[in-house]
Amino acid sequence: MQALHIGSYDDEPATIEKIHKFIEKQGLQVDINDDRHHHEIYLLDPRRTKVENLKTVLRIPVKNN
């Protein structure tokens, strides 16, 4: 499951919480373990981008219940 987070990295937990709620509503389960991790893909350079315009793709692995 993935979502695009726009804004400060400090605000990512709120987006991750929304992802977790969506996963639950879809009848899926988060699948994070020693081999599978969540990923954060930073799309813009924080040195050249205003904080409110930063874009990060947040990915969380899932599995069927």
Side-chain angles (χ1 to χ4, degrees), residues 17-34:
E17 184 177 333
K18 289 178 184 178
I19 295 171
H20 280 265
K21 287 179 182 179
F22 182 81
I23 289 168
E24 186 177 316
K25 284 182 182 179
Q26 297 304 308
L28 300 170
Q29 187 176 13
V30 173
D31 188 20
I32 294 177
N33 56 45
D34 290 341

Side-chain angles (χ1 to χ4, degrees), residues 37-53:
H37 310 278
H38 88 277
H39 293 89
E40 296 179 3
I41 302 166
Y42 306 106
L43 301 178
L44 299 171
D45 185 344
R47 297 170 295 182
R48 300 180 189 187
T49 307
K50 292 180 182 179
V51 172
E52 61 270 13
N53 295 331

